Amino acid sequence: MRRNGAGRTTFLAVLLVCTLVFALTAATALRVFAGAAQTAARADDTRRAVYEATRAAECFRLYADDRSALAAELGGVWSGDTLEAATETGLTLRLEAQRPGADGRVQHAEICVLRGEETLFSLACAAGCGEGAAQ
Amino acid sequence: MRSGGMRAAGVGAVLLVTVFAVLCLGIFAALSLSMAKSELALADKSAASTQEYYAADSRAQELAAALTERLLQGDALPDTLDGVAVEPFGDGGTGCSFVLPCGTRQIRVSLSLEADGVTSRYRLLPDGDWAAEGDLNVWQGESGD
């Protein structure tokens, strides 16, 4: 009887230790899963932001001289020199056009892609609009 | 004895299944994290490359605009403009080209004066000479004869 009691205690202790180890391992694995999901979401956001910014930059190069066409193409509205649009991918696109300098040869734009107030990606691009510059 | 043996066997099976489940969970978690990290690294590289390209492109637009004006006004073309070598071509300086580095690539811009203005040509090329791999014994199709 005494041997049975001691054996049962040892068995329960081992079972408890194993359960703790498994629980800790499983919890760590779940935390790693959560981290992986966050990292994947960040990568996805970056990819979307790059896509939207590239699209806006190419539209700007095409329609730098025609602000209404640019707004229509990007689906946004102008507020002064800033065009803001909600993208299909759930992000916000902000394009700030800088008026051409005294020579008026090249127009510049700062393009930002945001999620809420956080800037995910930004780039600066330019579009030539010199006289006689046939592309 | 019999019931004790059955109970031990039951506990052993549960233990094995638990070990297997936890092991699977750990392995899949590690694989997911590794894949997500490599995806993020690739996305960051793509973002940096895009920024680099548009920065170089903006500079190319500025230089092209300045050179276009010179070509249209018939001014002499400079040897360098903002530290970039300008190579004239054509008779009497009717065209020029310049190359801007863009990461592992380069933007080559050619401008030529035409009757109705200046035509520009943009090319994004790999940096350095590219040589086709010739060592692979690839089937080239049936010979024509």
Side-chain angles (χ1 to χ4, degrees):
Chain A
M1 285 295 285
R2 204 183 301 155
R3 199 182 294 163
N4 274 350
R8 189 175 295 157
T9 309
T10 311
F11 173 76
L12 284 174
V14 169
L15 197 67
L16 187 68
V17 169
C18 285
T19 309
L20 277 174
V21 168
F22 290 158
L24 278 175
T25 313
T28 308
L30 288 175
R31 279 179 62 193
V32 171
F33 263 127
Q38 275 182 354
T39 309
R42 267 177 56 204
D44 196 40
D45 274 352
T46 306
R47 271 200 302 266
R48 285 183 200 187
V50 170
Y51 165 75
E52 295 295 352
T54 309
R55 184 171 155 264
E58 292 305 319
C59 285
F60 176 73
R61 281 159 61 136
L62 280 174
Y63 302 112
D65 293 330
D66 189 348
R67 290 194 165 200
S68 56
L70 183 61
E73 192 67 31
L74 294 176
V77 284
W78 284 101
S79 166
D81 283 341
T82 305
L83 174 74
E84 205 160 293
T87 69
E88 286 176 7
T89 50
L91 304 174
T92 305
L93 178 78
R94 190 175 291 159
L95 186 148
E96 194 177 331
Q98 292 161 4
R99 291 185 186 282
D103 52 8
R105 295 180 315 215
V106 178
Q107 292 194 54
H108 294 266
E110 283 283 338
I111 297 168
C112 288
V113 182
L114 307 110
R115 177 182 287 287
E117 289 300 312
E118 182 196 1
T119 302
L120 296 175
F121 182 68
S122 66
L123 64 82
C125 71
C129 53
E131 270 187 15
Q135 295 280 340
Chain B
M1 283 296 285
R2 205 174 175 187
S3 67
M6 290 284 282
R7 197 167 55 226
V11 170
V14 168
L15 196 70
L16 274 178
V17 168
T18 313
V19 167
F20 182 71
V22 169
L23 211 62
C24 283
L25 205 64
I27 288 169
F28 283 124
L31 285 175
S32 299
L33 188 65
S34 157
M35 206 174 73
K37 275 190 174 175
S38 63
E39 271 185 23
L40 183 63
L42 187 66
D44 284 343
K45 272 187 184 176
S46 161
S49 166
T50 306
Q51 270 175 335
E52 211 168 39
Y53 168 72
Y54 278 100
D57 179 71
S58 296
R59 197 153 173 244
Q61 296 273 356
E62 291 278 358
L63 294 175
L67 289 169
T68 297
E69 203 168 296
R70 283 174 190 244
L71 283 171
L72 287 170
Q73 289 176 358
D75 292 347
L77 293 170
D79 291 335
T80 58
L81 188 62
D82 281 350
V84 177
V86 179
E87 294 173 30
F89 62 80
D91 293 331
T94 55
C96 64
S97 67
F98 61 89
V99 177
L100 282 174
C102 174
T104 56
R105 299 166 294 177
Q106 57 182 19
I107 296 177
R108 185 180 289 270
V109 182
S110 304
L111 304 165
S112 55
L113 188 62
E114 309 285 343
D116 55 346
V118 172
T119 303
S120 58
R121 183 182 185 201
Y122 276 64
R123 278 185 295 168
L124 186 64
L125 302 167
D127 199 6
D129 293 329
W130 179 82
E133 181 67 59
D135 295 340
L136 291 173
N137 186 20
V138 181
W139 185 63
Q140 300 293 326
E142 295 289 342
S143 58
D145 49 19

